[in-house]
Amino acid sequence: MGAQQTQNQSSSAAADQGTRGVVIIGGGQAGLQAAASLRSEGFTGQVTIVAEEPGLPYQRPPLSKDYLKARLTDGSDGADGSAGTSASPLPLRGEAFFAEQDIELRTGTVATSVDRQAKTVTLADGTVLGYDSLVFATGARNRELPTPGIDLPGIHGLRTLADAEQLGAALDTAKNVVVVGAGFIGLEFATAALARGCQVTVLEFAPRPMGRALTPLLGDWFAGAHRDLGIDLRLNEGIASFEAGDDGRVALAVSTTGDRYPADLVVAGVGVQPNDQLAAATGLETANGIVVDARLRTVDPDIYAIGDCAAFPCVHAGGPFRLESVQNATDQARHVAKVILGADETYEDLPWFWSTQGPFRLQMANIVRADDETVVVGDADPAHPKFSVLCFRDGILAAVESVNMPSDHLSARKILAAGLEITREEALSAGFSLRAAYKERTQPAAVV
């Protein structure tokens, strides 16, 4: 941290004197990538990142996937599925990167106001930064449960490194874990807690897990698969209240059905809300995120928003949409750097996602819809699953969900990004594979 703090101090004088360039509010995946892409695209002006958390910005996905697992074992899988060996989350960039790229990183502080007319950002410590272009990469925050007893000790969220460290320590002594919400974060944590030997109950108000992200077919499959692992998954059952034990800590979770579940550790994973408060206070349009156009610009032509906080016109969703994924954060960051430097391209990158839940590696290419027609290819036996769910609209492949089938996922991304057409009839034919279908459409025919 020493060199980092020195760098902040050494460049602050120039910034405070009004030197303008690009200011990026947010030190997560989107913010760091935007800064890196500005430099790789040839921008030579001032680049400043304002990051709320202290220390070097780090990868967030492994916090619920691999970080807790790594605290139990000597190694873990990396965020991209590669082998890893450390229980510490990986920084997005090493400390030397910021000095080498001449990027000012201001950590442990927040932006408190933006003056659009003066084109300045004021920080909590009173520093005023001038900008020519401003990028909101403020991410999202955990949605709060308005539940009686939610403030009891032993109830946690999972969003930051501090959250993960607290949960990792709590798992060392926990016996009965209740997870509220069967989304990605909830189920990733549930399988990590199960691996620790905990009794795990998951409460989900909806009729199936991950209902907003998966087809009903795959959601139902995951419900059975997680129960087979030993997780007590309760669907159509939300949380009503929490009760304390004699020590003042959480001891019981009471569900909407009136059932009472022992709980010495609770994790609330009921989704997130975009951090768009500062943008709204600045006079920018917000609607479940900071509203931007297809070039990621807000109503102010010098202000942009990217990543989890941005509501953009998504061609793959058919309208305004907000995506919470590493892919979207990094791709939008690369795109906004080009737009700031004068490009006039719209953002249309194919969305893709992943989630690691115990032995199940889920990967998704594009956004599925509940009314998609589906074809299953591969082996869906929960004991050793390797399969994909192909989703069709008007008879043409539109999205693919894969479980332990990375080759299918990569082929699906290539097919969908290139706009290649795969029909439902073709997928139903004997011996069909996405990989072979892609090769047939892209490799030159052999000359006879």
Side-chain angles (χ1 to χ4, degrees), residues 7 39 93-104:
Q7 183 187 352
R39 288 295 187 236
R93 294 289 192 278
E95 189 170 340
F97 167 83
F98 298 96
E100 292 168 356
Q101 296 295 314
D102 191 22
I103 295 170
E104 179 183 8

Coordinates of all heavy atoms in Angstrom, one line a residue, residues 7 39 93-104:
Q7 N 1.7 7.3 -4.7 CA 1.3 7.6 -6.0 C 0.0 8.6 -6.0 O -0.1 9.6 -6.7 CB 0.9 6.4 -6.8 CG 0.5 6.7 -8.2 CD 0.0 5.4 -8.9 OE1 0.1 4.3 -8.4 NE2 -0.5 5.6 -10.1
R39 N -5.8 3.5 -21.8 CA -4.4 3.5 -22.0 C -4.0 2.6 -23.3 O -3.3 3.0 -24.1 CB -3.6 3.0 -20.8 CG -3.6 4.0 -19.7 CD -2.8 5.2 -20.0 NE -2.7 6.1 -18.9 CZ -3.1 7.4 -18.9 NH1 -3.7 7.9 -19.9 NH2 -2.9 8.2 -17.8
R93 N -5.4 -5.9 -10.8 CA -4.1 -5.5 -11.4 C -3.2 -5.4 -10.2 O -3.5 -5.0 -9.1 CB -4.2 -4.1 -12.1 CG -5.1 -4.1 -13.3 CD -4.4 -4.8 -14.5 NE -5.1 -4.6 -15.8 CZ -6.2 -5.2 -16.2 NH1 -6.8 -6.1 -15.4 NH2 -6.7 -4.9 -17.4
G94 N -1.9 -5.7 -10.5 CA -0.9 -5.6 -9.5 C -0.6 -4.1 -9.2 O -0.9 -3.2 -10.0
E95 N 0.1 -3.8 -8.1 CA 0.4 -2.4 -7.7 C 1.2 -1.7 -8.7 O 1.0 -0.5 -9.0 CB 1.1 -2.4 -6.3 CG 1.2 -1.0 -5.8 CD 1.7 -1.1 -4.3 OE1 1.5 -2.1 -3.7 OE2 2.2 0.0 -3.8
A96 N 2.1 -2.4 -9.4 CA 3.0 -1.8 -10.3 C 2.2 -1.3 -11.6 O 2.7 -0.3 -12.2 CB 4.1 -2.7 -10.8
F97 N 1.1 -1.9 -11.9 CA 0.4 -1.6 -13.1 C 0.0 -0.1 -13.1 O 0.1 0.6 -14.1 CB -0.9 -2.4 -13.1 CG -1.9 -2.0 -14.2 CD1 -1.8 -2.3 -15.5 CD2 -3.0 -1.2 -13.8 CE1 -2.7 -1.9 -16.4 CE2 -3.9 -0.8 -14.7 CZ -3.8 -1.1 -16.0
F98 N -0.4 0.4 -11.9 CA -1.0 1.8 -11.9 C 0.2 2.8 -12.1 O -0.1 3.8 -12.8 CB -1.7 2.0 -10.5 CG -2.8 1.1 -10.3 CD1 -2.7 -0.1 -9.6 CD2 -4.1 1.4 -10.9 CE1 -3.8 -0.9 -9.5 CE2 -5.1 0.6 -10.8 CZ -5.0 -0.6 -10.0
A99 N 1.3 2.5 -11.6 CA 2.5 3.4 -11.8 C 2.9 3.3 -13.3 O 3.2 4.3 -14.0 CB 3.6 3.1 -10.9
E100 N 3.0 2.1 -13.8 CA 3.5 1.9 -15.2 C 2.5 2.5 -16.2 O 3.0 3.1 -17.2 CB 3.6 0.4 -15.5 CG 4.7 -0.3 -14.7 CD 4.6 -1.8 -14.8 OE1 3.7 -2.3 -15.4 OE2 5.5 -2.5 -14.3
Q101 N 1.2 2.5 -15.9 CA 0.2 3.0 -16.9 C -0.1 4.5 -16.5 O -1.0 5.1 -17.2 CB -1.0 2.2 -16.8 CG -0.8 0.7 -17.3 CD -0.4 0.7 -18.8 OE1 -1.0 1.4 -19.6 NE2 0.6 0.0 -19.1
D102 N 0.5 5.0 -15.5 CA 0.2 6.4 -15.1 C -1.3 6.6 -14.8 O -2.0 7.5 -15.4 CB 0.7 7.4 -16.2 CG 0.6 8.9 -15.7 OD1 0.6 9.1 -14.4 OD2 0.5 9.8 -16.5
I103 N -1.9 5.7 -14.0 CA -3.3 5.8 -13.6 C -3.3 6.1 -12.1 O -2.7 5.4 -11.3 CB -4.0 4.4 -13.9 CG1 -4.0 4.2 -15.4 CG2 -5.4 4.4 -13.3 CD1 -4.5 2.8 -15.8
E104 N -4.0 7.1 -11.8 CA -4.1 7.5 -10.4 C -5.2 6.7 -9.7 O -6.4 6.8 -10.1 CB -4.4 9.0 -10.2 CG -4.5 9.5 -8.8 CD -4.9 10.9 -8.7 OE1 -5.2 11.5 -9.7 OE2 -4.9 11.4 -7.6

